[in-house]
Amino acid sequence: MARAILIVLDSVGCGGAEDATAYGDEGADTLGHIAQACAEGRGDRDGLRSGPLHIPNLARLGLSRACEASTGRPLAGVPQPATPQGRYGYGVEVSQGKDTPSGHWEIAGCPVPFRWGYFTALENSFPPEIVAAIIREGALPGILGNKHASGTAVIDELAEEHIRTGKPICYTSVDSVLQIAAHEEHFGLERLFALCKTVRVLVDPLKIGRVIARPFLGNRESGFTRTGNRKDFAIPPPDETILDRLAAKGRPIVTVGKIGDIFAHRNTGEEIKPFGNAAMFAAALQAFEQLPDGGFCFVNLVDFDTEYGHRRDIPGYAAAIEAFDRTLPRLEALLRPGDLAIVTADHGNDPSWPGTDHTREHVPILAFGPGMPQQPLGRRESFADIAATLGDWLGIGAVGPGRAW
């Protein structure tokens, strides 16, 4: 019986979304602009990387051709094979927004049928009644922040006051999110998680996609650093996903990274959550190697987004893509006849773009496995085509409104 692994390269979009103008993102192109910067020397960093984007394995699987199908432009400086291996194309998001839950739910067969709520005011971002409820229900002396902010910057700015007063740091962005940062030792990690659960209930009527715990450590002398204990508290998907169908059929499920958080831990099977792309991919490979027939492994690699996209770090982003490329042969070596591997993304986060937030883009889709014939997938009208294909491949029937390839 076939197995499948689905890897989401968080934010590795490939430009071209027709409705990008509505999001202020017309012309954004995460992969295209990274490749162009590398080809022009703007992706160089001493001791990290230099030269054109070097991704021979992803190129062999058709990534540059997928990008060209999406935008009309191949990846600058990336050689294209005459005949890519496997199947390649790009997906168009039908859900509104450019958030992590929207992209992942649609990939899993559940496009978002509603508009997310947002905190749009740059200062005093949260409604007074929400602030009052957070303080009351959380038994807090108050909150800090209450604005749009970069997570690392707002911690640097307010960490000392947070430690002195015991007030958590609450902030947001253009995404549908309320983030709460607190010191693991001075405030307490479990206390932070409990507070986020409380706030999750408070913002449910506003359709806020995620409440995110952002724990950190450190002091004024050493500096403050976010830890790997981030935890997302998301609204559960409003309809069936590939995970729900597989669980109903009794199939083995392993989720790696923040998949469990994104799906509100609903039918997310064995959850593995190490810190960092390298550790997460190593854990995914180990889990997939041991995965029984008929099983499914769902992986999110978040560093592209959190460490490099939001920080507008082109060399770091390019190096992370190259690092993933070097590991791909290890996955291919684990694939048995009948197995299916899919590599895709959930949105964009163009590191050359103004601001610090996600960008509305198409996503690349690469599908491969032993003996799979080369075939252009072209334009897929919904990310949900991925779930439909996985359902057919795993013998549980197409899931969601997508069309299997």
Side-chain angles (χ1 to χ4, degrees), residues 41-51 308 311-317 319:
R42 293 182 289 113
D44 294 356
R45 180 177 293 161
D46 289 345
L48 180 66
R49 68 162 316 280
S50 64
Y308 310 112
R311 300 184 186 192
R312 296 302 185 247
D313 181 354
I314 292 174
Y317 207 134

mmCIF file of all heavy atoms in Angstrom, residues 41-51 308 311-317 319:
data_model
loop_
_atom_site.group_PDB
_atom_site.id
_atom_site.type_symbol
_atom_site.label_atom_id
_atom_site.label_comp_id
_atom_site.label_asym_id
_atom_site.label_seq_id
_atom_site.Cartn_x
_atom_site.Cartn_y
_atom_site.Cartn_z
ATOM 1 N N GLY A 41 24.752 38.944 -7.204
ATOM 2 C CA GLY A 41 25.695 39.107 -6.109
ATOM 3 C C GLY A 41 25.107 39.689 -4.847
ATOM 4 O O GLY A 41 25.809 39.835 -3.841
ATOM 5 N N ARG A 42 23.801 40.014 -4.855
ATOM 6 C CA ARG A 42 23.172 40.579 -3.665
ATOM 7 C C ARG A 42 22.762 39.503 -2.659
ATOM 8 O O ARG A 42 22.272 39.821 -1.577
ATOM 9 C CB ARG A 42 21.954 41.417 -4.062
ATOM 10 C CG ARG A 42 22.302 42.670 -4.840
ATOM 11 C CD ARG A 42 21.082 43.507 -5.182
ATOM 12 N NE ARG A 42 20.260 42.867 -6.210
ATOM 13 C CZ ARG A 42 19.037 42.394 -6.016
ATOM 14 N NH1 ARG A 42 18.487 42.457 -4.809
ATOM 15 N NH2 ARG A 42 18.353 41.853 -7.007
ATOM 16 N N GLY A 43 22.964 38.251 -3.029
ATOM 17 C CA GLY A 43 22.675 37.162 -2.114
ATOM 18 C C GLY A 43 23.912 36.610 -1.434
ATOM 19 O O GLY A 43 23.848 35.599 -0.734
ATOM 20 N N ASP A 44 25.056 37.291 -1.623
ATOM 21 C CA ASP A 44 26.307 36.827 -1.028
ATOM 22 C C ASP A 44 26.402 37.273 0.435
ATOM 23 O O ASP A 44 25.969 38.371 0.791
ATOM 24 C CB ASP A 44 27.514 37.387 -1.785
ATOM 25 C CG ASP A 44 27.611 36.861 -3.213
ATOM 26 O OD1 ASP A 44 26.794 36.006 -3.588
ATOM 27 O OD2 ASP A 44 28.517 37.315 -3.944
ATOM 28 N N ARG A 45 27.001 36.423 1.243
ATOM 29 C CA ARG A 45 27.347 36.797 2.619
ATOM 30 C C ARG A 45 28.557 35.977 3.022
ATOM 31 O O ARG A 45 28.543 34.744 2.909
ATOM 32 C CB ARG A 45 26.190 36.546 3.572
ATOM 33 C CG ARG A 45 26.521 36.931 5.035
ATOM 34 C CD ARG A 45 25.336 36.751 5.958
ATOM 35 N NE ARG A 45 24.279 37.692 5.628
ATOM 36 C CZ ARG A 45 23.016 37.538 5.996
ATOM 37 N NH1 ARG A 45 22.659 36.470 6.680
ATOM 38 N NH2 ARG A 45 22.115 38.439 5.666
ATOM 39 N N ASP A 46 29.585 36.659 3.469
ATOM 40 C CA ASP A 46 30.823 35.980 3.835
ATOM 41 C C ASP A 46 30.553 34.885 4.863
ATOM 42 O O ASP A 46 29.864 35.110 5.866
ATOM 43 C CB ASP A 46 31.825 36.981 4.413
ATOM 44 C CG ASP A 46 32.389 37.930 3.362
ATOM 45 O OD1 ASP A 46 32.218 37.633 2.167
ATOM 46 O OD2 ASP A 46 32.975 38.959 3.749
ATOM 47 N N GLY A 47 31.092 33.711 4.577
ATOM 48 C CA GLY A 47 30.964 32.588 5.489
ATOM 49 C C GLY A 47 29.644 31.855 5.410
ATOM 50 O O GLY A 47 29.458 30.845 6.093
ATOM 51 N N LEU A 48 28.717 32.362 4.594
ATOM 52 C CA LEU A 48 27.398 31.726 4.486
ATOM 53 C C LEU A 48 27.171 31.149 3.096
ATOM 54 O O LEU A 48 26.956 29.951 2.932
ATOM 55 C CB LEU A 48 26.299 32.728 4.827
ATOM 56 C CG LEU A 48 24.862 32.201 4.763
ATOM 57 C CD1 LEU A 48 24.648 31.148 5.848
ATOM 58 C CD2 LEU A 48 23.846 33.334 4.928
ATOM 59 N N ARG A 49 27.218 31.992 2.065
ATOM 60 C CA ARG A 49 26.993 31.541 0.701
ATOM 61 C C ARG A 49 27.455 32.620 -0.257
ATOM 62 O O ARG A 49 27.645 33.784 0.127
ATOM 63 C CB ARG A 49 25.514 31.232 0.440
ATOM 64 C CG ARG A 49 24.623 32.479 0.462
ATOM 65 C CD ARG A 49 23.294 32.257 -0.209
ATOM 66 N NE ARG A 49 23.377 31.541 -1.467
ATOM 67 C CZ ARG A 49 23.724 32.102 -2.623
ATOM 68 N NH1 ARG A 49 24.034 33.385 -2.685
ATOM 69 N NH2 ARG A 49 23.771 31.386 -3.719
ATOM 70 N N SER A 50 27.588 32.230 -1.552
ATOM 71 C CA SER A 50 27.909 33.191 -2.598
ATOM 72 C C SER A 50 27.497 32.627 -3.942
ATOM 73 O O SER A 50 27.285 31.422 -4.093
ATOM 74 C CB SER A 50 29.409 33.524 -2.610
ATOM 75 O OG SER A 50 30.166 32.367 -2.925
ATOM 76 N N GLY A 51 27.362 33.512 -4.911
ATOM 77 C CA GLY A 51 27.067 33.103 -6.279
ATOM 78 C C GLY A 51 25.599 32.843 -6.539
ATOM 79 O O GLY A 51 24.735 33.073 -5.684
ATOM 80 N N TYR A 308 13.940 34.226 7.934
ATOM 81 C CA TYR A 308 14.510 34.923 6.785
ATOM 82 C C TYR A 308 13.510 35.787 6.021
ATOM 83 O O TYR A 308 13.844 36.888 5.599
ATOM 84 C CB TYR A 308 15.165 33.905 5.845
ATOM 85 C CG TYR A 308 16.080 32.973 6.576
ATOM 86 C CD1 TYR A 308 15.780 31.615 6.723
ATOM 87 C CD2 TYR A 308 17.235 33.461 7.186
ATOM 88 C CE1 TYR A 308 16.620 30.777 7.433
ATOM 89 C CE2 TYR A 308 18.075 32.620 7.898
ATOM 90 C CZ TYR A 308 17.760 31.270 8.022
ATOM 91 O OH TYR A 308 18.579 30.442 8.744
ATOM 92 N N ARG A 311 12.318 38.716 8.260
ATOM 93 C CA ARG A 311 13.477 39.561 8.568
ATOM 94 C C ARG A 311 14.106 40.162 7.311
ATOM 95 O O ARG A 311 15.121 40.855 7.399
ATOM 96 C CB ARG A 311 14.505 38.752 9.352
ATOM 97 C CG ARG A 311 13.960 38.225 10.673
ATOM 98 C CD ARG A 311 15.008 37.504 11.488
ATOM 99 N NE ARG A 311 14.405 36.887 12.674
ATOM 100 C CZ ARG A 311 15.094 36.379 13.684
ATOM 101 N NH1 ARG A 311 16.412 36.413 13.664
ATOM 102 N NH2 ARG A 311 14.479 35.838 14.713
ATOM 103 N N ARG A 312 13.530 39.870 6.163
ATOM 104 C CA ARG A 312 14.003 40.405 4.878
ATOM 105 C C ARG A 312 15.497 40.133 4.681
ATOM 106 O O ARG A 312 16.275 41.001 4.302
ATOM 107 C CB ARG A 312 13.695 41.903 4.787
ATOM 108 C CG ARG A 312 12.182 42.222 4.795
ATOM 109 C CD ARG A 312 11.475 41.521 3.646
ATOM 110 N NE ARG A 312 10.071 41.856 3.501
ATOM 111 C CZ ARG A 312 9.056 41.016 3.693
ATOM 112 N NH1 ARG A 312 9.291 39.780 4.116
ATOM 113 N NH2 ARG A 312 7.814 41.380 3.468
ATOM 114 N N ASP A 313 15.849 38.872 4.901
ATOM 115 C CA ASP A 313 17.235 38.413 4.844
ATOM 116 C C ASP A 313 17.420 37.560 3.599
ATOM 117 O O ASP A 313 17.201 36.344 3.621
ATOM 118 C CB ASP A 313 17.548 37.622 6.117
ATOM 119 C CG ASP A 313 18.982 37.110 6.171
ATOM 120 O OD1 ASP A 313 19.720 37.257 5.179
ATOM 121 O OD2 ASP A 313 19.352 36.536 7.213
ATOM 122 N N ILE A 314 17.819 38.187 2.495
ATOM 123 C CA ILE A 314 17.951 37.458 1.235
ATOM 124 C C ILE A 314 19.048 36.401 1.301
ATOM 125 O O ILE A 314 18.812 35.232 0.943
ATOM 126 C CB ILE A 314 18.175 38.433 0.065
ATOM 127 C CG1 ILE A 314 16.917 39.272 -0.172
ATOM 128 C CG2 ILE A 314 18.560 37.679 -1.213
ATOM 129 C CD1 ILE A 314 17.078 40.363 -1.217
ATOM 130 N N PRO A 315 20.265 36.713 1.743
ATOM 131 C CA PRO A 315 21.288 35.659 1.801
ATOM 132 C C PRO A 315 20.893 34.499 2.719
ATOM 133 O O PRO A 315 21.132 33.329 2.385
ATOM 134 C CB PRO A 315 22.525 36.400 2.323
ATOM 135 C CG PRO A 315 22.305 37.823 1.957
ATOM 136 C CD PRO A 315 20.823 38.030 2.091
ATOM 137 N N GLY A 316 20.303 34.816 3.867
ATOM 138 C CA GLY A 316 19.884 33.750 4.772
ATOM 139 C C GLY A 316 18.817 32.874 4.161
ATOM 140 O O GLY A 316 18.842 31.641 4.301
ATOM 141 N N TYR A 317 17.854 33.498 3.472
ATOM 142 C CA TYR A 317 16.783 32.742 2.817
ATOM 143 C C TYR A 317 17.374 31.835 1.737
ATOM 144 O O TYR A 317 17.042 30.647 1.635
ATOM 145 C CB TYR A 317 15.771 33.716 2.209
ATOM 146 C CG TYR A 317 14.358 33.193 2.081
ATOM 147 C CD1 TYR A 317 13.273 33.984 2.475
ATOM 148 C CD2 TYR A 317 14.089 31.939 1.563
ATOM 149 C CE1 TYR A 317 11.963 33.524 2.347
ATOM 150 C CE2 TYR A 317 12.790 31.470 1.436
ATOM 151 C CZ TYR A 317 11.735 32.268 1.824
ATOM 152 O OH TYR A 317 10.445 31.795 1.691
ATOM 153 N N ALA A 319 20.415 30.663 1.493
ATOM 154 C CA ALA A 319 21.183 29.583 2.114
ATOM 155 C C ALA A 319 20.266 28.495 2.660
ATOM 156 O O ALA A 319 20.590 27.303 2.588
ATOM 157 C CB ALA A 319 22.066 30.146 3.228
#
